[in-house]
Amino acid sequence: DDITGLNGSGRYVRMNGTLRGTAWGWSLWEFEIYGTGGAPNPTPTTAPTATPHGSNWALVWSDEFNGTSLNTSNWTSEVNGSGMGNNELEYYTNGQNLSFENGALVITARQENPANYQCWYGTCTYTSGRINTQGKREFTYGRIEARIRVPYGQGIWPAFWMLGNNIGSVGWPNCGEIDIMENIGREPNIVHGTVHGPGYSGANGIGGPYTLPSGNFSDAYHVFAVEWESNVMRWYVDGNLYFTLNRSTVESRGQWVFDHPNFIILNLAVGGAWPGNPDGTTVFPQRMYIDYVRVYQ
């Protein structure tokens, strides 16, 4: 819930609250408080250690990003300026666009003038970061969730997603792709959950959107999750189920290719066929904050 009121100086203050539970007859809330000048760099709060509400999932792996560098037992930084098949404009650097602040991983997209990197279109205009768990942390089925505060602006494209670990042998989309959260800058209050596979890839992916009741996703942290089972997938935002996809629905379009290990990807793209390119309204740098990634089975 959002609460707006006057502080002691007579200025309006907005508080974003999340109900965390009850104790001794009281409701326990967690608030993030913002002044009129906009939200500061957020400080993640410690999320509850209990399993997700209404489920029997048990935590099997997590990265809480409480250190000062990327845990290379979990993640690899991808280095690439190919456009990633989407005509994206960023060059993904080898960790130079990653940082750690207040217990969160920060992926920063920067406008360069110019960058000392070559992209598919020439000297790169933007740099950013993309990391994955390929060959290190791979999972078949489970509840995969992350607490993220997304950036904003035309042409900005943050994502939390997975690919089948057989991509090297069968290629995309035959490996399968599960998009847990995608947001494009021109839709600041909408995220998308989607799957891609043979017969339902690219613009023909199968998925659904979630629209915030108020405000934008860049205003505060939100928890994005997918529950992936052998015959069904369910997508959530902040515990709200917004899209369910059954195996039979997928198989009416093509092969279900989600019965083998997947690895996790976090990235912040700039430009591309879907979001379009940045324009005069886009502010840089843009930052994607990730409080944690957790896997339950």
Side-chain angles (χ1 to χ4, degrees):
D1 290 341
D2 285 334
I3 302 172
T4 304
L6 289 168
N7 65 9
S9 63
R11 300 179 68 192
Y12 277 95
V13 175
R14 185 170 65 79
M15 297 181 289
N16 178 266
T18 302
L19 182 62
R20 289 301 189 194
T22 59
W24 306 291
W26 292 84
S27 295
L28 304 179
W29 289 78
E30 170 185 309
F31 286 96
E32 292 175 302
I33 303 174
Y34 309 118
T36 55
N41 289 347
T43 300
T45 56
T46 301
T49 57
T51 55
H53 174 70
S55 73
N56 295 315
W57 303 108
L59 184 68
V60 296
W61 174 80
S62 73
D63 195 325
E64 305 294 323
F65 301 118
N66 290 328
T68 57
S69 62
L70 193 68
N71 185 339
T72 55
S73 296
N74 294 334
W75 304 95
T76 298
S77 285
E78 297 187 44
V79 180
N80 202 316
S82 70
M84 311 309 292
N86 302 305
N87 294 326
E88 298 167 26
L89 302 180
E90 79 288 328
Y91 184 93
Y92 288 126
T93 64
N94 189 20
Q96 292 91 329
N97 292 65
L98 307 180
S99 60
F100 291 80
E101 299 178 15
N102 302 319
L105 167 66
V106 185
I107 303 177
T108 301
R110 300 188 182 98
Q111 187 171 21
E112 307 287 355
N113 189 27
N116 294 317
Y117 306 102
Q118 289 297 306
C119 290
W120 62 274
Y121 55 88
T123 303
C124 302
T125 308
Y126 307 94
T127 60
S128 190
R130 171 168 160 154
I131 61 174
N132 73 66
T133 66
Q134 186 176 18
K136 298 180 177 183
R137 308 291 179 180
E138 299 177 345
F139 306 93
T140 305
Y141 313 134
R143 177 184 170 97
I144 298 90
E145 72 173 38
R147 188 169 184 259
I148 299 172
R149 182 185 174 196
V150 304
Y152 64 93
Q154 169 57 36
I156 303 300
W157 185 8
F160 168 43
W161 53 300
M162 296 187 292
L163 284 172
N165 70 345
N166 59 346
I167 187 170
S169 59
V170 305
W172 184 93
N174 292 337
C175 65
E177 174 180 329
I178 304 171
D179 298 324
I180 306 170
M181 182 281 297
E182 290 184 284
N183 168 260
I184 57 174
R186 67 172 180 266
E187 300 175 344
N189 64 337
I190 301 173
V191 293
H192 299 263
T194 315
V195 296
H196 301 270
Y200 50 97
S201 62
N204 296 314
I206 308 171
Y210 176 85
T211 302
L212 271 180
S214 63
N216 296 326
F217 278 102
S218 61
D219 294 338
Y221 277 91
H222 295 273
V223 176
F224 306 99
V226 67
E227 291 179 352
W228 165 30
E229 301 183 44
S230 61
N231 291 302
V232 65
M233 296 187 197
R234 296 176 292 270
W235 280 260
Y236 298 83
V237 173
D238 296 330
N240 299 303
L241 173 64
Y242 72 91
F243 181 62
T244 300
L245 180 62
N246 294 310
R247 183 175 187 138
S248 59
T249 301
V250 172
E251 290 180 337
S252 70
R253 301 270 296 274
Q255 183 184 0
W256 171 276
V257 287
F258 306 105
D259 290 322
H260 58 267
N262 275 229
F263 58 91
I264 299 169
I265 305 169
L266 291 162
N267 71 281
L268 175 51
V270 179
W274 186 24
N277 293 340
D279 61 19
T281 68
T282 311
V283 177
F284 286 94
Q286 284 294 321
R287 297 179 176 89
M288 177 181 180
Y289 294 85
I290 304 99
D291 183 11
Y292 64 75
V293 177
R294 295 175 181 167
V295 177
Y296 299 83
Q297 287 183 332

